Amino acid sequence: MATVPDQAHFSRQTMNNNLVPEWLSAEHSTGTSIMAVEFDGGVVIGADSRTTTGSYIANRVTDKLTPISDRIFCCRSGSAADTQAIADIVNYHLNFHKMEMGEDPLVQTAAHIFKELCYSYRDDLTAGIICGGWDKRSGGQVYSIPLGGMCVRQPFAIGGSGSTYIYGYVDSTFKEGMTKEECMNFTANSLALAMFRDGSSGGVIRLACINEDGVERRVLKGDEIPRFFEG
């Protein structure tokens, strides 16, 4: 004789499922705003600091500027777990490369390792990367590796969910030959605009300048973040 399902059990199960917040099972995401700009002698990179789990803010002071070697950094957007794993793997490869070659790795080398990983596992990973840094052969360089694993060098690059709000601003404001401070202000203003419009971006603005002398980092907090019209 077939058993009759317990209607009360189904009702309790449905009620329990409805009571569980969606962020408990959602993936950690650095749904984000990231940016990098080349200048004569180095690069400036920047990012917001918000990590979300669905609509829940899991971390409001995340550091999305991840060092890959002494003068090469990456900006991470997409799945926090995926991008952290990729950055660790690239760092591992570059350490071996440095030992074998006896010199610091090239920015192009790091970018192409990112490209190989992102392309080879494009169906399994959610990772958008901006790789920026300085080397003695080509100076400051910025490479964009978006979802899917393409790799292209650009004078500046933006990424993440907040980038969709600022394409017009960066296209109209960018000019070749900007100084380090101009690039710092350009990056800070762009990220501030993206953070205001994008609900998945927020927190503080982290900036880093990478050149032959090393890495200089800044954090813009609260009242230091540029303000614009908030209509």
Side-chain angles (χ1 to χ4, degrees):
M1 180 177 177
T3 58
V4 178
D6 183 356
Q7 189 65 36
H9 169 75
F10 283 122
S11 298
R12 288 193 301 272
Q13 187 68 32
T14 303
M15 182 179 67
N16 289 336
N17 289 339
N18 291 336
L19 291 175
V20 175
E22 54 90 16
W23 54 263
L24 280 178
S25 58
E27 181 181 41
H28 278 5
S29 171
T30 57
T32 205
S33 299
I34 55 177
M35 184 171 181
V37 190
E38 294 181 2
F39 68 90
D40 185 20
V43 298
V44 170
I45 60 175
D48 74 311
S49 65
R50 178 175 292 178
T51 294
T52 55
T53 306
S55 59
Y56 174 74
I57 299 173
N59 189 342
R60 58 193 177 89
V61 288
T62 307
D63 188 356
K64 302 175 187 177
L65 308 181
T66 305
I68 303 302
S69 73
D70 291 342
R71 290 180 177 83
I72 304 174
F73 275 62
C74 74
C75 307
R76 303 180 291 110
S77 68
S79 163
D82 291 351
T83 55
Q84 286 171 359
I86 292 172
D88 288 343
I89 293 169
V90 174
N91 176 261
Y92 172 84
H93 281 291
L94 289 184
N95 282 335
F96 270 104
H97 180 75
K98 182 177 181 178
M99 287 187 285
E100 290 173 353
M101 302 298 291
E103 60 183 15
D104 290 333
L106 303 177
V107 182
Q108 185 181 35
T109 302
H112 279 78
I113 297 174
F114 274 116
K115 179 197 72 172
E116 289 295 328
L117 290 169
C118 292
Y119 180 77
S120 298
Y121 300 99
R122 61 191 180 279
D123 295 328
D124 304 308
L125 300 176
T126 304
I129 303 290
I130 296 175
C131 181
W134 180 93
D135 61 52
K136 63 182 181 181
R137 178 184 296 180
S138 303
Q141 301 147 77
V142 170
Y143 292 88
S144 178
I145 305 102
L147 295 174
M150 180 181 73
C151 180
V152 58
R153 182 178 176 180
Q154 297 177 299
F156 73 93
I158 57 177
S161 57
S163 66
T164 57
Y165 298 95
I166 58 171
Y167 273 99
Y169 174 77
V170 296
D171 287 343
S172 64
T173 306
F174 174 78
K175 61 181 185 292
E176 294 185 356
M178 288 195 293
T179 65
K180 167 188 161 183
E181 284 303 322
E182 286 176 328
C183 287
M184 284 280 197
N185 292 331
F186 176 45
T187 303
N189 290 340
S190 300
L191 292 173
L193 286 165
M195 289 161 58
F196 174 67
R197 294 291 180 184
D198 179 35
S200 296
S201 301
V204 302
I205 294 177
R206 298 186 186 275
L207 300 170
C209 174
I210 310 167
N211 56 26
E212 185 177 6
D213 298 327
V215 181
E216 174 193 344
R217 301 197 61 159
R218 299 183 190 174
V219 178
L220 302 182
K221 299 171 286 188
D223 56 352
E224 299 172 334
I225 296 174
R227 303 300 292 263
F228 298 91
F229 174 72
E230 299 181 1

